[in-house]
Amino acid sequence: MNTELDFRLDDLVPADADSEYAEQQFWSGDLTVLTEHHTAPHGSHSYVVAHDGSVTWGVAGEPQVAAIKVARDHSLNTFTMETAYHATVPFAQNWLIEHGCPPDQIAEVGAGFSTPADDLTVRIEAQIRESGARYEVIESQTSDYDPCEAWTLTRDGEAVQAPIRLFLEEGDSNAHTYTLREGAFPDEETALRWLDDRSAPLSQPPEHLGEAAALRTRAALARSAGSSEVPKTASVADQSAAAVPVQRSVQGRLL
């Protein structure tokens, strides 16, 4: 995958004013491609997730991950362009999937970028990416300085309890890895107070606690029956059930 962005718009003109404006907002030198998909054989559509370096010089806290969809009409020599900005890659991938991108074609970030630090991060990323319209984004924040992190505050349309969900991404620049955790809160005010204070661990989603308890019970029954093998998924679920302290390490997520 080429990390330099090419919209492939040679000899094409914007089909409408919105597309013209969207194209003018980008300078290729500011964008680093993280993952992309171009339809074949005629290349009518392109779906791109890119880091926009120009955002770091703008308003503090603004999302830096751009989701870009380009649709080309070669019979009319025109194109349309739609864009949306997100704090983290999975939400950008989700937006592209909701706008027609095949999920398996946009799931993998290219080599050379930070990688997930653990299985729980991989699971939460897939949960977001494949969630459809489940999460309504309320607010997000991206920090380039200590603590370097990105978070997205959402309302979970499927949650029975604690419907406000906080997705917090933190990176380790030395290890070139990152973690992603999900927190659950009864309302927005409680979640924002936690973000300001952080003296308590990030509260885990109630459904994860029940899932972990069931797996621990199964593991205990297996041991009592003389089995030496513990289900591999138990360690991941136990980790999601445990109180997760917030790491204030350098993010290093995108570049």
Side-chain angles (χ1 to χ4, degrees):
M1 183 187 69
N2 189 351
T3 58
E4 295 183 1
L5 183 58
D6 181 3
F7 285 124
R8 307 182 184 186
L9 301 179
D10 293 344
D11 302 322
L12 301 179
V13 297
D16 50 49
D18 289 341
S19 297
E20 182 178 11
Y21 177 79
E23 182 192 17
Q24 291 173 349
Q25 300 314 297
F26 294 119
W27 180 57
S28 60
D30 290 330
L31 299 173
T32 301
V33 176
L34 304 175
T35 182
E36 61 185 329
H37 170 63
H38 305 279
T39 56
H42 303 299
S44 61
H45 289 76
S46 290
Y47 304 90
V48 179
V49 177
H51 176 252
D52 188 345
S54 69
V55 179
T56 62
W57 303 103
V59 178
E62 288 296 294
Q64 301 176 6
V65 182
I68 308 165
K69 175 187 176 181
V70 177
R72 306 172 187 83
D73 187 336
H74 292 288
S75 65
L76 298 176
N77 293 325
T78 61
F79 71 88
T80 58
M81 181 180 292
E82 299 175 77
T83 65
Y85 275 79
H86 302 270
T88 57
V89 170
F91 279 99
Q93 293 168 319
N94 170 265
W95 186 89
L96 289 174
I97 292 169
E98 286 297 284
H99 284 73
C101 183
D104 58 338
Q105 296 296 325
I106 205 74
E108 297 296 327
V109 172
F113 301 104
S114 293
T115 57
D118 51 30
D119 290 340
L120 183 55
T121 295
V122 173
R123 183 177 66 78
I124 295 175
E125 286 190 313
Q127 173 185 315
I128 296 169
R129 188 167 55 243
E130 300 164 7
S131 63
R134 173 178 176 178
Y135 298 110
E136 174 192 353
V137 175
I138 301 169
E139 186 177 347
S140 69
Q141 182 83 19
T142 300
S143 173
D144 294 317
Y145 303 99
D146 187 27
C148 290
E149 64 184 25
W151 55 260
T152 304
L153 189 65
T154 72
R155 183 178 299 277
D156 185 350
E158 297 182 6
V160 177
Q161 303 178 54
I164 301 302
R165 299 301 168 92
L166 173 68
F167 294 94
L168 175 65
E169 181 184 287
E170 297 180 296
D172 184 336
S173 60
N174 294 322
H176 214 49
T177 61
Y178 63 94
T179 59
L180 181 62
R181 297 292 183 261
E182 178 184 1
F185 299 89
D187 51 57
E188 297 175 37
E189 292 75 14
T190 305
L192 292 172
R193 282 199 301 271
W194 183 89
L195 282 165
D196 287 338
D197 180 51
R198 308 205 190 188
S199 60
L202 184 62
S203 58
Q204 299 302 292
E207 60 269 22
H208 292 181
L209 297 175
E211 178 183 302
L215 287 170
R216 285 197 297 271
T217 299
R218 282 161 45 194
L221 290 173
R223 287 195 297 271
S224 65
S227 173
S228 60
E229 182 177 354
V230 177
K232 293 181 180 180
T233 54
S235 61
V236 174
D238 287 344
Q239 185 176 6
S240 68
V244 181
V246 175
Q247 303 173 352
R248 293 184 174 268
S249 55
V250 177
Q251 185 182 11
R253 168 66 176 91
L254 296 172
L255 300 179

